[in-house]
Amino acid sequence: MNKPLRRVSVFCLALILALMGWATWIQGAKASDYKEDSHNPRVAIGKYAAPLGNILVGGEPVTGSAATSSTLKYKRTYKDGPLYAPVTGFTSQIFGSNQLESLYGDLLDGSDSRLQSPADALTRTRAKGGDVSTTIDAAVQKAGYRALDGKKGAAVALDPATGRILGMVSTPSYDPGKFAGSSTDDQKAWQRMSGDGDHPEVNRALRQPLPPGSTFKLVVAAAALENGRYSSVDEHTDSPDPYTLPHTRTTLKNENTAAPCKNATIRTALRYSCNTVFAKMAVDLGKDKVKAQAEKFGFNDGKVDTPVRAAKSVYPDDMDEAQTALSGIGQFNDQATPLQMAMVTSAIANGGELKTPQLVDRLTDGGGNTVQQNEPAAYRDGRTMSGRTAAQLRSAMQTVVDQGTGSNAKIGGLTVGGKTGTAQHGVDNSGTPYAWFVSYAEDGNGHQVAVAVMVEDGHAARNEVSGNGLAAPVARAMMKAALG
C-alpha cells in the first residue's frame, strides 16, 4: 500500500475509533443525563404514564391524578387547590413543578431508587409512586386561609416543641389544577396567574421578606436580657422620650404620645410598643450583640429548609448608630419572612429552645411502607436564650394581649402572648404600612402553638392599619384551631 493510501486508512480508522468512543460515552457515561433531561419528551411521558403518588394532609390526599386522552396519560389534580398551594406547590405537564411537587418529584412519580424492588430493577419497570405526608393540620390551615380572605398576606403556625409547621397560608393564592395539563385552557390559566399584579404564585409565608416592624422588638429585648443590660422585664430602662437618633437632629417619637414610655420597663415598652425604648436599647447594646441574638433565631441564614427553602431574613451589618436605632424597631433594612418571626415566637414559647421548622413528616412507598421518617431536630445548637429570659418574655407578651395592643388575640381558656407590629415602607414612608402580629398560645395540658401573621395589604385606610386590627384576628383563628 502506498504512503497516501496508508495515511487515508489510518485517518479513517481514527475517525471510526473516535465515533465508537463517542457512542460508548453517550450510551454509557452520559445515558442517565440524557434520560433525565427535562427536554427529553420521554421524561414527561414516563412521569405521567401512571397516576402520581399524593401529598397528604392529616393522612388524607390533597392531590390526585386524572386520566387524559393525550400522550401524557395522567395529569395532576388538586383538592382545595388555593388552600394548599403554598404547601404543595404545583406540577404541570407544560410548566414544570415547584415546592414539594418538585422536591419529591422522583418519589411521587415512582422513579426514586428507594421505591424499586429487585424485580423492578431487573425489568427496568417504574415503581408505583410514593406519598408525602405533611405536618399540616387541616383545621389550622383552613382557619388561617379564611381569616386572611380578601387580604394580601401570609401566616405560619408552628408547634414549638417539634418545629412541625401546622399551618402555612399565603393569599391571594392560586389553583394549581387549572394549569396541570397541556391544553389551551391550561396555558391561558398559567398566563392569567403569571400576569396577576398581586403575584399569587409567590409563597409569602416563606419567600416574601418584609420589614418586621415592632415585632422585632422581641429580638432586641432578648438581647438586652441575655447580655445583662437589664435583669428583668420589670426593671426600668434608661430611655428618653422623645429620643434623638445618635449624631443627628432627628427625633424619634412614639405612635401613642400619651404612652408612659420614658424610662419604661421592657414589659411596659412592649405593652405600648414604645419605639424610643427599643431604639435606644439597640444602640446601647450595639449592632453586633443584636445581630448575634437575631442570628440565633435564624436571621442571615440563607439555608432554612422546610424542606422548601425560605428566603433569607436579614439583620443588616453595615450600620451607623442612627441606623442601628431604627433597625432596633424593625425598620431601616431589617427584613423578615413570616416563617422567621414564627421561629422567634416559637423559641420564646419553648423555653428558649428552637426547633428546625418541618413541613414533611414522612415519605412512604406505593404500599404505604415508610421510606423516610423526619424526627424533630434542633435549629443549629437549639438554644437561643436562657429559660429565664424566655419566661420573662412570655410574661411580657401576655401583658401585651391582656392589657396592651394585642387585645384581639385573646382566647378564653388559653394563655396567649403576643406582639403587634406596623412596618413603614416606601419613599418617606409613603406606602401603606405592613401589619404584623406574632403570638403564642398554650392550654393547661402543655400544648403550645406559635404563630406569625403578616398583612401586606388589608384594603384598609392608612390610619386604620395596625397589627392588632388586621393581623391579630388571623393569629387568633389559627391558635384557636390548633388548641381549641
Side-chain angles (χ1 to χ4, degrees):
M1 183 181 293
N2 60 36
K3 193 172 183 180
L5 283 177
R6 261 199 324 272
R7 288 179 175 175
V8 170
S9 299
V10 170
F11 179 69
C12 290
L13 179 62
L15 287 178
I16 292 171
L17 291 174
L19 181 61
M20 292 174 63
W22 179 247
T24 302
W25 170 256
I26 292 294
Q27 294 177 11
K30 297 293 290 182
S32 61
D33 292 343
Y34 287 114
K35 181 181 177 181
E36 297 170 6
D37 192 297
S38 60
H39 295 93
N40 182 353
R42 292 179 180 272
V43 175
I45 292 172
K47 180 179 180 69
Y48 295 107
L52 297 171
N54 287 310
I55 297 173
L56 312 179
V57 170
E60 297 296 324
V62 296
T63 59
S65 295
T68 73
S69 58
S70 71
T71 306
L72 306 179
K73 294 182 178 180
Y74 290 88
K75 71 173 184 177
R76 182 57 113 187
T77 61
Y78 294 87
K79 178 183 178 182
D80 295 324
L83 172 64
Y84 291 113
V87 177
T88 62
F90 67 80
T91 190
S92 167
Q93 293 179 343
I94 302 177
F95 304 108
S97 59
N98 72 349
Q99 298 193 181
L100 295 186
E101 290 276 32
S102 175
L103 290 172
Y104 297 108
D106 290 350
L107 181 99
L108 293 165
D109 68 20
S111 62
D112 190 319
S113 61
R114 293 175 294 178
L115 306 183
Q116 285 192 328
S117 67
D120 292 333
L122 184 64
T123 61
R124 296 186 179 182
T125 302
R126 188 181 294 240
K128 182 182 178 182
D131 294 336
V132 178
S133 295
T134 71
T135 60
I136 296 294
D137 182 318
V140 176
Q141 185 77 4
K142 291 174 182 177
Y145 185 75
R146 290 167 182 163
L148 270 172
D149 185 40
K151 305 178 184 70
K152 185 191 297 185
V156 175
L158 295 175
D159 178 349
T162 63
R164 292 164 63 92
I165 299 176
L166 305 177
M168 186 168 68
V169 182
S170 178
T171 56
S173 189
Y174 65 96
D175 186 351
K178 296 290 186 182
F179 51 84
S182 55
S183 69
T184 301
D185 288 342
D186 289 275
Q187 295 177 52
K188 289 180 178 178
W190 173 269
Q191 290 168 359
R192 283 194 298 271
M193 183 191 73
S194 302
D196 190 329
D198 284 335
H199 299 290
E201 77 282 4
V202 175
N203 185 340
R204 290 175 164 81
L206 298 181
R207 303 294 306 169
Q208 183 83 355
L210 295 171
S214 292
T215 61
F216 190 77
K217 292 171 182 175
L218 292 171
V219 178
V220 179
L225 293 170
E226 284 293 281
N227 285 280
R229 186 77 194 178
Y230 298 103
S231 61
S232 80
V233 293
D234 294 309
E235 179 183 345
H236 284 279
T237 64
D238 177 16
S239 309
D241 183 13
Y243 172 57
T244 301
L245 299 180
H247 315 298
T248 75
R249 296 180 181 179
T250 303
T251 57
L252 182 67
K253 299 180 180 179
N254 296 299
E255 196 72 24
N256 181 356
T257 57
C261 292
K262 184 177 182 179
N263 299 330
T265 64
I266 291 176
R267 183 188 301 276
T268 298
L270 288 173
R271 175 184 174 185
Y272 292 98
S273 202
C274 299
N275 290 332
T276 51
V277 173
F278 291 100
K280 185 174 186 298
M281 192 180 295
V283 173
D284 290 344
L285 285 165
K287 63 183 180 183
D288 291 340
K289 289 181 179 178
V290 179
K291 179 184 177 184
Q293 184 63 60
E295 289 182 347
K296 289 181 180 180
F297 289 119
F299 281 84
N300 297 332
D301 184 355
K303 296 182 179 180
V304 177
D305 296 331
T306 67
V308 179
R309 178 157 292 182
K312 183 166 71 173
S313 296
V314 177
Y315 179 77
D317 193 20
D318 186 16
M319 296 183 291
D320 60 26
E321 286 190 330
Q323 293 165 338
T324 299
L326 294 175
S327 182
I329 60 173
Q331 296 287 174
F332 186 54
N333 287 335
D334 292 9
Q335 298 281 307
T337 62
L339 174 68
Q340 174 61 79
M341 295 314 300
M343 290 169 68
V344 171
T345 315
S346 180
I348 294 171
N350 197 39
E353 293 187 14
L354 178 60
K355 299 295 185 180
T356 299
Q358 290 187 356
L359 181 57
V360 174
D361 179 35
R362 65 177 183 142
L363 309 178
T364 55
D365 63 17
N369 302 303
T370 299
V371 173
Q372 178 180 315
Q373 180 74 50
N374 294 333
E375 301 295 340
Y379 176 74
R380 293 182 172 172
D381 65 3
R383 177 59 64 179
T384 63
M385 68 191 92
S386 69
R388 182 180 184 277
T389 294
Q392 292 267 312
L393 291 177
R394 288 198 302 275
S395 175
M397 291 172 71
Q398 290 170 29
T399 301
V400 171
V401 172
D402 293 339
Q403 304 172 27
T405 58
S407 58
N408 283 339
K410 290 180 182 178
I411 303 173
L414 299 178
T415 300
V416 180
K419 181 69 191 81
T420 56
T422 306
Q424 308 294 332
H425 72 103
V427 178
D428 295 327
N429 297 330
S430 59
T432 302
Y434 304 131
W436 284 84
F437 192 76
V438 298
S439 58
Y440 75 92
E442 56 186 28
D443 61 17
N445 299 314
H447 302 129
Q448 295 181 318
V449 62
V451 177
V453 180
M454 179 277 298
V455 177
E456 188 177 343
D457 185 359
H459 305 295
R462 180 185 176 89
N463 60 357
E464 295 176 355
V465 174
S466 71
N468 191 44
L470 293 177
V474 180
R476 181 182 186 276
M478 297 179 80
M479 291 187 295
K480 189 173 181 181
L483 302 179

